[in-house]
Amino acid sequence: MKKVVIAIDSFKGCLTSPEAETAAAWGVRSVFPECEVICLPVADGGEGMQDALIAASGGMRIPVRAHSPLMEVHDTHYGIAGDGQTAFIEMATISGLPLVPREKRNPMLTTTFGTGELIRNALERGCRRFIIGLGGSATNDAGLGMLHALGFRFLDEAGQELGTGHPRGACGVPKAMCGALLAEVASVDCSSVHPALKGCHFTAACDVRNPFTGADGAAAVFAPQKGADPEMVAELDAGMVKLAEVIRQSTGKDISCLPGAGAAGGMGGGLSAFLNAELQPGIRLLLDALRFGEKIKSADLIITGEGKADRQTIMGKVPFGILEEAKAQQIPVILLAGAVEDVEILNQAGFQGVFSITPPSSMSLEQAMEPAIAKQNISRTVEQICRVIQCREKKSCSSGNT
């Protein structure tokens, strides 16, 4: 092989995209030392997308302090492109699940207020175009916390503003809009909204197509991952249903069944309804920014991957976006993952080979997710794949010389 492109999504909770790609590159070079290996860090709207866009645009990181999902002040950052007009905000950096201790995870109480603070900071720096990466959130507040930070006021039936510290029984005293308050919203006051928002364009990058409500909606599908029990899920979904009707009456938009509206606990719906955001697959945005189609020209192989590969992979996730680009240039694509299911479906979609990096042994999940071990497993798997390719190349050369 003369040229291999490696574009692997992060193995969440284990390896970043660059770390996984470096391990894979070692596996390629151990068999093909003269091969050109190009590593392109990728993401679909979750962790890693911001840094990839900053690098692709010649931009820079902006350090700020903002509020976490539990309204604790944290150091965080966002990006501004080289043009000085475009902000890259990855909501997971300030509204993400890792910022909430496992024992405190409760999407009834968490808020996206901090993400709104990052948007406000960028507005005041002159940014008017925004790419918001959705994914990895600890929240199910439909983006109301974010909107609250931007000046939107959410009122109850009595006309009292919600999320300002009013008592809420068992929920304590919410300091910002959160999942527990969704069902109490009766109207929206936009009179104090940040004036610069009128001239802005928002794009929400997400890798899921889930609607706002229902069996496939934000609460039913994602809230359990954020600490919700069945009763919380039911309450959150009921709140989302009621909120969707308030939004319809306030804006004329019905986001209940909008594909992607359920992303990041309904953040996609909030962005679409109130900020007129376009909901786009994150991988599509990133591949365009990276000029991926140009960089893979003449490649003999593309190696992609993610933490878990299954039928959801072909629903717009990173590996599938890469596969679509590769198909256009007839470049074979190999898929790596920590866990693999639905192999036949993945093969039918076009992946030349699908490989689990985890050896079939007594290794526990905790061991397999240790970064050093995961890197070794990626390198070992890629090395073995390359040895098979090398064998075939030698056999082909021998046949050609006879």
Side-chain angles (χ1 to χ4, degrees):
M1 289 195 298
K2 295 182 179 179
K3 179 178 178 180
V4 174
V5 174
I6 302 175
I8 301 175
D9 197 2
S10 63
F11 282 40
K12 291 179 175 59
C14 179
L15 298 176
T16 66
S17 174
E19 288 172 339
E21 291 175 357
T22 298
W26 186 94
V28 173
R29 293 189 176 108
S30 68
V31 180
F32 297 103
E34 303 301 320
C35 181
E36 178 187 5
V37 180
I38 298 176
C39 293
L40 299 173
V42 289
D44 53 22
E47 60 179 311
M49 183 173 184
Q50 181 187 104
D51 288 341
L53 287 171
I54 291 172
S57 68
M60 60 182 174
R61 275 191 178 197
I62 305 297
V64 292
R65 287 174 66 77
H67 288 86
S68 75
L70 294 177
M71 291 299 285
E72 299 166 341
V73 177
H74 277 249
D75 290 322
T76 186
H77 62 273
Y78 65 93
I80 293 182
D83 64 8
Q85 292 289 308
T86 306
F88 307 126
I89 294 175
E90 192 173 296
M91 69 173 296
T93 63
I94 191 60
S95 303
L97 195 58
L99 295 175
V100 182
R102 189 172 297 276
E103 67 276 8
K104 293 184 178 180
R105 291 179 182 177
N106 181 346
M108 299 290 287
L109 302 180
T110 49
T111 179
T112 55
F113 190 86
T115 298
E117 290 178 302
L118 300 192
I119 294 173
R120 177 180 283 273
N121 188 281
L123 283 171
E124 292 170 358
R125 287 176 178 267
C127 292
R128 295 297 179 264
R129 292 190 295 273
F130 292 81
I131 294 178
I132 313 293
L134 308 186
S137 78
T139 56
N140 199 112
D141 71 350
L144 299 194
M146 168 205 66
L147 294 165
H148 193 194
L150 294 172
F152 289 85
R153 297 171 66 240
F154 299 93
L155 313 178
D156 63 15
E157 293 284 358
Q160 295 296 310
E161 184 176 358
L162 296 164
T164 58
H166 297 300
R168 179 63 167 76
C171 289
V173 185
K175 297 178 182 178
M177 293 304 297
C178 59
L181 298 178
L182 295 176
E184 296 190 24
V185 177
S187 61
V188 185
D189 180 354
C190 301
S191 62
S192 300
V193 169
H194 197 296
L197 285 173
K198 291 181 180 179
C200 293
H201 180 270
F202 286 82
T203 301
C206 57
D207 71 335
V208 299
R209 305 290 288 164
N210 299 72
F212 198 62
T213 62
D216 294 321
V221 176
F222 303 114
Q225 303 168 15
K226 304 171 185 182
D229 60 28
E231 290 183 3
M232 290 180 191
V233 170
E235 184 175 347
L236 286 167
D237 189 59
M240 300 281 274
V241 170
K242 185 174 183 298
L243 178 63
E245 178 58 22
V246 173
I247 289 173
R248 188 187 67 78
Q249 294 175 5
S250 301
T251 68
K253 298 178 182 179
D254 185 356
I255 62 170
S256 298
C257 298
L258 177 68
M267 180 77 141
L271 282 164
S272 174
F274 293 102
L275 299 181
N276 297 310
E278 295 181 57
L279 305 184
Q280 294 187 13
I283 186 59
R284 179 74 270 150
L285 285 168
L286 182 59
L287 293 181
D288 288 345
L290 292 173
R291 303 196 313 279
F292 191 79
E294 294 178 26
K295 292 179 179 177
I296 66 173
K297 284 180 180 177
S298 74
D300 299 299
L301 178 70
I302 295 175
I303 299 173
T304 187
E306 60 181 342
K308 181 179 181 181
D310 55 23
R311 64 183 64 215
Q312 292 296 316
T313 297
I314 62 174
M315 301 300 289
K317 289 194 171 184
V318 165
F320 189 68
I322 287 168
L323 177 65
E324 292 291 284
E325 285 277 352
K327 279 182 176 179
Q329 298 187 39
Q330 299 182 321
I331 302 169
V333 180
I334 283 175
L335 174 61
L336 308 177
V340 173
E341 296 177 8
D342 308 315
V343 174
E344 289 186 5
I345 292 174
L346 295 170
N347 285 147
Q348 289 170 3
F351 291 105
Q352 193 74 22
V354 181
F355 300 89
S356 170
I357 66 165
T358 307
S361 66
S362 58
M363 181 181 293
S364 67
L365 176 62
E366 289 73 19
Q367 287 178 305
M369 289 189 67
E370 289 181 14
I373 292 176
K375 290 176 185 178
Q376 290 173 5
N377 287 340
I378 290 175
S379 296
R380 173 189 51 78
T381 303
V382 172
E383 178 184 2
Q384 294 307 309
I385 292 168
C386 288
R387 287 187 180 280
V388 173
I389 294 171
Q390 183 185 55
C391 181
R392 289 181 177 178
E393 286 185 352
K394 288 180 178 178
K395 185 175 181 181
S396 176
C397 288
S398 297
S399 299
N401 292 330
T402 57

